Amino acid sequence: MLKEFREFAMKGNVVDLAVGVIIGAAFGGIVTSLVGDIIMPVIGAITGGLDFSNYFTPLSKAVTAGNLADAKKQGAVLAWGNFLTLTLNFVIIAFVLFMVIRSMNVLKRKDEAAPAPPKPTREEELLTEIRDLLKKS
């Protein structure tokens, strides 16, 4: 069983998948920072200093806090601002991945579109042979 598991784990597809997951996690961190540290502050500045990640609706009368962290400690809250932020993260990640894949497809099409030079005709081959023979003599 261990031998079979080792063979499975060492297959190229599994290793490629593991590398993809690790890179994806790192990429997710970058996009989260992009949204949280760059995009959302700009949106907040445009909308008059709004911070979407701190928007919530209390689901209990016991919740009286003004920020999300304290409100969660007091009781149940509907953190719709955080959901909005995560949804924006998803849209940005999807768009960036779309652009990367689109760029790769364009490059792939360029490689495929470059046709191989046409094979010389029989007549051209004979003329080339004659030319080479004349050069030798």
Side-chain angles (χ1 to χ4, degrees):
M1 188 167 130
L2 288 174
K3 180 181 176 187
E4 191 175 336
F5 176 74
R6 184 179 61 218
E7 288 173 9
F8 168 75
M10 290 301 135
K11 283 185 181 177
N13 293 342
V14 175
V15 174
D16 292 344
L17 178 63
V19 170
V21 167
I22 293 168
I23 290 174
F27 184 71
I30 291 170
V31 172
T32 300
S33 175
L34 173 70
V35 172
D37 299 334
I38 297 173
I39 294 174
M40 292 308 281
V42 171
I43 292 173
I46 292 170
T47 59
L50 299 176
D51 180 14
F52 292 108
S53 63
N54 207 26
Y55 281 11
F56 65 93
T57 301
L59 298 177
S60 168
K61 291 182 181 184
V63 178
T64 58
N67 65 21
L68 182 61
D70 292 338
K72 282 184 176 181
K73 292 176 185 175
Q74 292 177 346
V77 294
L78 185 66
W80 59 271
N82 194 32
F83 176 76
L84 181 65
T85 302
L86 292 175
T87 302
L88 185 59
N89 281 354
F90 172 77
V91 170
I92 291 170
I93 290 171
F95 180 73
V96 169
L97 288 176
F98 168 75
M99 295 304 289
V100 168
I101 291 171
R102 184 172 180 248
S103 299
M104 289 174 46
N105 287 339
V106 167
L107 291 175
K108 186 184 274 189
R109 277 189 231 124
K110 284 183 182 177
D111 289 343
E112 291 174 357
K119 186 176 178 182
T121 63
R122 181 67 182 145
E123 183 179 335
E124 290 172 337
E125 288 176 2
L126 290 173
L127 288 172
T128 303
E129 288 178 22
I130 291 169
R131 180 197 65 204
D132 293 343
L133 288 172
L134 288 174
K135 280 185 183 179
K136 289 181 182 177
S137 51

